[in-house]
């Protein structure tokens, strides 16, 4: 995670004045918080891809070496907000028709000081030198380079069946309790650690793509699918004597989501993955990852009805009782219900929700799917029985639920909860339209936690606790601790647990992220996430007593972030 320094009041005033003069910030724009900047300004693997330099004679001159350096910096620091093609995503457009009119001096000031609309202060924070700022001011006046497409032929070149299905075990060959196995992302090493939930020992370190974003489990519980930000999928057979890779494929140049078919008739038959670039999803054979069907997501936005050239696939979930995938398309704000029974005659129900769709999860009944439209500050509720949008619920600033958390509010009945990147609130949304109609599909309670920068919120059907992390908060004390609420008494103040302190590590950021339960629901695991060259750990807390139970340390446990318990992931328990 890159350091983003605090932006000084003087810098904000300078940038705000320039923004007003150039018309780049409207009266409705809000000052963006540091947690939002930390989250949005993430790196992209596309910086490593070779792209053609189309010289714009009106732009300041750049050598090929300068252009390549600018492209790498842009994809490391800017593409997450401004888009691959610089046409704007959560950030504003940076195409030549905009940037040439501003000119180099104004652009350099924006890059150096940032802006109240969310531009980081790359210069005054020390993240960029004056020379790099000058380079980037010239780069964004050039024509945006277009990364290559990635079609069926490209995918098949990367497809590798390491162990064919016929040579795999016919039964489970190890003594592991697979239901209580954890798949742990080792973000910066391109690996996952498989950790036994009982012994807390590492079973195997499996090579994967870079910065695995998510782990998903097949309907049977046999296969584990992981996808890296570089769009590489690894298929791991948990029945092997030592679980390991049996197939792999790259489905694009950048990606975040993978899922498997959960309907009983199609258990373990299919897998699906969505890409950030190219903007598309692909359906594959579940046991080999052979690509079968690619579907583009380019199209019109739900609000202004304008064509968007790079709508990224943010998250995908599978229905358990219907042969259907839910594909959430970020920039267009569309939710696609994909019927996978007949891939040659693919049937898709398109639901217009809100921009910019990101992550979400099921309510307790698994009839309603709730997904964050984060820059719209809304949660979209989909009725999967009726295949239609049930509601758009206004929530706080930049909701980021992960899968969310389901529990019974003492007053309002069943609710689903989300935290926020941009403020300290936890929104509780009613999910029981029959039993509690007055509470359904609206925020019934707003809790205040430690602060902005929340990424994940978690509880368990057997727990009375609601855990809220804040790893992106700029205050180290907040980022290194966890807030926990008593579900049975939500008016009671939250308790803060010093997870990083319990880990007893040396120097490092020690951000605490992604609470994850074991199968029994009596332990909560937390990642203590430091840099690649610093010690990290996993802290296990007794859910009932809220006391430290174990600390998992190992030289191989490098930059642990996401953790996925096999049983809870397989059955969508949260």
């Amino acid at each position: 995670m890159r350091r983003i320094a605090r932006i000084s009041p003087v810098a904000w005033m300078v940038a705000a004045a320039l923004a007003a003069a150039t018309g780049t910030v409207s009266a409705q724009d809000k000052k963006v918080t540091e947690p939002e900047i930390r989250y949005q300004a993430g790196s992209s693997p596309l910086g490593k891809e070779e792209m053609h330099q189309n010289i714009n004679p009106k732009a300041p001159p750049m050598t090929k070496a300068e252009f390549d350096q600018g492209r790498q910096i842009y994809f490391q620091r800017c593409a997450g907000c401004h888009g691959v093609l610089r046409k704007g995503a959560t950030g504003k457009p940076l195409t030549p028709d905009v940037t040439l009119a501003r000119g180099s001096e104004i652009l350099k000031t924006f890059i150096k000081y940032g802006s109240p609309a969310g531009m980081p202060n790359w210069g005054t924070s020390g993240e960029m030198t004056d020379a790099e700022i000058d380079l980037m001011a010239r780069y964004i006046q050039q024509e945006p380079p277009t990364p290559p497409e990635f079609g069926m032929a490209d995918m098949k070149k990367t497809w590798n069946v390491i162990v064919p299905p016929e040579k795999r075990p016919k039964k489970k060959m190890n003594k592991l309790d697979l239901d209580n196995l954890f798949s742990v992302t080792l973000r910066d090493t391109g690996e996952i650690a498989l950790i036994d939930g009982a012994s807390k020992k590492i079973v195997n370190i499996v090579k994967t793509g870079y910065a695995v974003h998510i782990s998903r489990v097949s309907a049977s519980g046999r296969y584990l699918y992981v996808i890296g930000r570089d769009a590489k999928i690894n298929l791991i057979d948990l029945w092997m004597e030592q679980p390991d890779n049996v197939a792999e494929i790259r489905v694009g140049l950048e990606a975040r989501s993978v899922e498997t078919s959960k309907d009983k008739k199609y258990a373990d038959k299919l897998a699906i993955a969505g890409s950030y670039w190219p903007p598309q999803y692909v359906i594959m054979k579940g046991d080999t990852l052979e690509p079968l069907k690619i579907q583009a997501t380019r199209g019109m936005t739900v609000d202004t009805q304008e064509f968007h050239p790079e709508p990224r696939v943010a998250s995908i979930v599978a229905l358990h009782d219907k042969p259907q995938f839910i594909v959430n398309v970020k920039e267009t704000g569309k939710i696609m219900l994909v019927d996978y029974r007949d891939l040659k005659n693919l049937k898709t129900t398109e639901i217009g929700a809100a921009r910019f769709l990101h992550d979400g999860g099921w309510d307790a009944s698994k009839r309603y799917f709730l997904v964050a439209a984060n820059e719209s500050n809304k949660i979209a509720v989909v009725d999967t029985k009726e295949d239609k949008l049930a509601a758009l619920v206004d929530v706080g600033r930049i909701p980021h639920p992960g899968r969310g958390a389901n529990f019974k509010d003492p007053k309002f009945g069943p609710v689903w909860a989300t935290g926020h990147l941009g403020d300290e609130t936890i929104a509780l949304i009613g999910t029981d339209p029959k039993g509690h109609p007055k509470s359904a599909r609206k925020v019934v309670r707003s809790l205040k936690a430690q602060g902005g920068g929340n990424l994940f919120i978690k509880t368990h059907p057997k727990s009375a606790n609601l855990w809220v992390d804040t790893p992106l908060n700029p205050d180290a004390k907040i980022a290194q601790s966890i807030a926990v609420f008593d579900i049975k008494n939500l008016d009671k103040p939250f308790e803060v647990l010093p997870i990083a302190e319990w880990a007893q590590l040396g120097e490092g950021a020690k951000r605490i992220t992604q609470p994850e339960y074991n199968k029994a629901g009596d332990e909560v695991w937390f990642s203590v996430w430091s840099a690649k060259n610093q010690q990290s750990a996993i802290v296990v807390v007794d859910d009932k007593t809220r006391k430290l139970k174990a600390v998992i340390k190992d030289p191989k446990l490098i930059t642990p972030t996401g953790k996925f318990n096999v049983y809870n992931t397989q059955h969508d328990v949260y």
Side-chain angles (χ1 to χ4, degrees):
M1 182 64 65
R2 190 168 48 258
R3 176 179 59 85
I4 303 289
R6 292 182 182 274
I7 302 175
S8 72
V10 173
W12 282 116
M13 290 171 65
V14 171
L18 278 168
T22 56
T24 56
V25 181
S26 70
Q28 289 76 33
D29 279 323
K30 299 178 180 179
K31 179 176 177 179
V32 177
T33 63
E34 286 186 53
E36 294 172 61
I37 294 173
R38 288 167 180 259
Y39 177 72
Q40 299 290 4
S43 64
S44 164
L46 290 173
K48 299 177 181 178
E49 298 295 329
E50 186 67 30
M51 301 180 200
H52 176 68
Q53 179 184 3
N54 187 13
I55 297 174
N56 185 343
K58 296 181 181 180
M62 297 190 81
T63 66
K64 176 65 163 59
E66 287 178 323
F67 183 85
D68 288 343
Q69 183 184 358
R71 170 176 55 80
Q72 291 170 8
I73 293 174
Y74 179 83
F75 283 104
Q76 286 170 358
R77 300 181 175 180
C78 314
C81 287
H82 299 286
V84 169
L85 303 178
R86 304 212 311 257
K87 292 182 179 292
T90 53
K92 296 182 180 300
L94 293 177
T95 44
D97 59 314
V98 175
T99 56
L100 283 171
R102 301 289 181 259
S104 295
E105 293 307 312
I106 287 178
L107 293 173
K108 284 193 287 186
T109 302
F110 272 114
I111 296 169
K112 184 170 184 174
Y113 291 103
S115 88
M119 179 73 172
N121 57 325
W122 295 115
T124 56
S125 69
E127 292 290 321
M128 286 190 191
T129 65
D130 286 344
E132 288 174 327
I133 289 170
D134 175 76
L135 178 80
M136 293 310 296
R138 288 184 287 134
Y139 174 81
I140 60 177
Q141 294 176 74
Q142 300 285 332
E143 294 293 331
T146 302
E149 298 294 319
F150 206 87
M152 185 63 76
D154 300 299
M155 290 185 195
K156 287 195 172 181
K157 287 178 183 176
T158 71
W159 175 45
N160 179 25
V161 179
I162 301 165
V163 182
E166 63 272 16
K167 294 185 178 180
R168 296 175 197 166
K170 305 302 180 185
K171 61 181 181 179
K172 188 164 81 78
M173 301 301 291
N174 56 65
K175 296 181 179 180
L176 296 170
D177 179 3
L178 296 182
D179 281 349
N180 205 29
L181 190 69
F182 286 76
S183 173
V184 180
T185 296
L186 305 182
R187 187 187 186 279
D188 293 339
T189 64
E191 298 169 322
I192 63 161
L194 296 176
I195 302 180
D196 177 59
S199 68
K200 313 294 189 291
K201 300 295 184 182
I202 295 176
V203 173
N204 195 18
I205 300 289
V206 181
K207 287 291 182 182
T208 64
Y210 170 71
V212 163
H213 192 72
I214 196 169
S215 297
R216 299 299 288 164
V217 179
S218 67
S220 70
R222 173 175 183 171
Y223 291 115
L224 176 69
Y225 301 77
V226 301
I227 189 165
R229 287 195 174 200
D230 57 1
K232 183 179 180 181
I233 301 174
N234 290 81
L235 174 61
I236 298 163
D237 187 353
L238 300 179
W239 280 13
M240 295 171 70
E241 187 172 346
Q242 183 179 63
D244 210 336
N245 288 314
V246 293
E248 60 186 13
I249 191 172
R250 198 173 180 200
V251 295
L253 302 179
E254 184 174 3
R256 296 292 189 278
S257 53
V258 67
E259 179 61 295
T260 73
S261 50
K262 296 291 178 65
D263 182 81
K264 290 182 180 179
K265 292 182 180 179
Y266 294 87
D268 295 22
K269 298 292 186 185
L270 297 172
I272 182 174
S275 298
Y276 268 29
W277 188 269
Q280 61 193 30
Y281 64 85
V282 58
I283 298 176
M284 302 158 282
K285 285 187 178 180
D287 60 352
T288 65
L289 301 181
E290 179 184 357
L292 302 173
K293 178 83 171 183
I294 302 173
Q295 199 75 7
T297 56
R298 293 180 172 102
M300 314 305 285
T301 61
V302 297
D303 44 13
T304 58
Q305 297 288 292
E306 294 176 293
F307 179 76
H308 200 292
E310 51 170 302
R312 298 171 285 183
V313 178
S315 59
I316 303 175
V317 298
L319 276 70
H320 291 257
D321 59 355
K322 188 188 288 188
Q324 199 173 74
F325 295 123
I326 301 179
V327 179
N328 300 286
V329 185
K330 199 175 186 77
E331 278 72 21
T332 57
K334 293 178 179 178
I335 301 170
M336 308 287 193
L337 308 183
V338 180
D339 186 326
Y340 52 73
R341 287 176 293 184
D342 185 353
L343 299 186
K344 289 185 178 180
N345 301 285
L346 195 67
K347 294 181 180 179
T348 302
T349 300
E350 181 182 292
I351 296 175
R355 304 170 76 188
F356 292 78
L357 295 172
H358 192 62
D359 54 357
W362 295 103
D363 78 317
S365 72
K366 291 188 174 60
R367 172 173 175 172
Y368 299 100
F369 175 71
L370 297 93
V371 60
N374 54 23
E375 284 292 332
S376 297
N377 303 326
K378 297 180 185 295
I379 296 292
V381 184
V382 176
D383 183 341
T384 61
K385 186 175 182 180
E386 300 291 337
D387 286 358
K388 67 180 183 180
L389 185 69
L392 279 174
V393 182
D394 291 318
V395 291
R397 179 72 178 150
I398 313 291
H400 193 286
R403 293 302 191 193
N406 289 298
F407 57 93
K408 288 185 178 180
D409 184 289
K411 182 177 180 181
F412 301 104
V415 296
W416 178 90
T418 180
H420 301 85
L421 274 161
D423 64 42
E424 74 274 23
T425 64
I426 308 298
L428 275 56
I429 299 172
T431 58
D432 183 18
K434 287 188 177 181
H436 297 79
K438 293 182 179 180
S439 303
R441 298 167 189 164
K442 63 182 180 181
V443 176
V444 296
R445 195 191 295 264
S446 182
L447 307 174
K448 286 192 175 182
Q450 293 198 83
N454 167 247
L455 285 182
F456 299 100
I457 184 171
K458 187 73 73 170
T459 189
H460 188 277
K462 296 180 181 179
S463 175
N465 291 322
L466 178 66
W467 304 87
V468 182
D469 71 11
T470 41
L472 298 188
N473 195 286
D475 186 323
K477 187 175 181 180
I478 293 175
Q480 293 178 4
S481 60
I482 198 83
V484 55
F485 291 85
D486 182 350
I487 289 172
K488 296 179 180 178
N489 186 2
L490 292 169
D491 294 324
K492 182 180 178 182
F494 60 83
E495 182 181 0
V496 177
L497 301 184
I499 304 295
E501 181 182 318
W502 287 352
Q504 295 186 348
L505 301 175
E507 293 184 355
K510 298 187 286 287
R511 291 175 294 269
I512 308 306
T513 191
Q514 201 183 34
E516 176 73 345
Y517 277 87
N518 62 347
K519 180 190 175 183
D522 58 10
E523 290 179 357
V524 194
W525 292 35
F526 298 94
S527 293
V528 186
W529 172 26
S530 285
K532 186 176 181 179
N533 61 346
Q534 295 167 327
Q535 190 178 25
S536 294
I538 291 173
V539 169
V540 182
V541 177
D542 185 292
D543 182 69
K544 186 175 182 179
T545 65
R546 300 182 180 176
K547 302 296 184 182
L548 175 64
K549 188 169 184 178
V551 178
I552 304 173
K553 294 180 182 178
D554 191 290
K556 295 177 287 186
L557 204 61
I558 300 170
T559 60
T561 51
K563 300 167 300 304
F564 302 88
N565 172 266
V566 166
Y567 181 88
N568 293 337
T569 303
Q570 176 188 358
H571 298 280
D572 285 307
V573 177
Y574 37 79

